Amino acid sequence: MCARVRIAWALTAVLAGACGPTVDVTRGLQITILDSGWYDDGIVNGQNKLVPSVTFKVKNVSDQNLAS
């Protein structure tokens, strides 16, 4: 395929994805924190590296299908 055809297909895909319904994300999604704490990332420069960790779940509570 030539570059112009690829660009046309990519542009078509982007524009088609933008034509979906508008959903207020603050009301259409519900976030539930499942777990939080610290993750042991191992030894870095002779020191134990701990990094913050959060695990959460996102649930669609609207009446519409939402694309990622």
Side-chain angles (χ1 to χ4, degrees), residues 5-68:
V5 173
R6 288 184 201 153
I7 291 172
W9 276 107
L11 184 60
T12 302
V14 167
L15 291 176
C19 294
T22 303
V23 176
D24 184 8
V25 178
T26 59
R27 293 187 181 138
L29 296 177
Q30 179 182 27
I31 297 177
T32 305
I33 295 178
L34 299 176
D35 191 24
S36 65
W38 296 94
Y39 174 74
D40 185 356
D41 201 28
I43 305 296
V44 177
N45 296 328
Q47 296 181 340
N48 192 17
K49 183 175 182 179
L50 297 175
V51 292
S53 171
V54 140
T55 303
F56 58 91
K57 184 176 179 180
V58 179
K59 180 180 179 184
N60 180 5
V61 292
S62 71
D63 59 348
Q64 300 175 2
N65 289 333
L66 303 176
S68 55

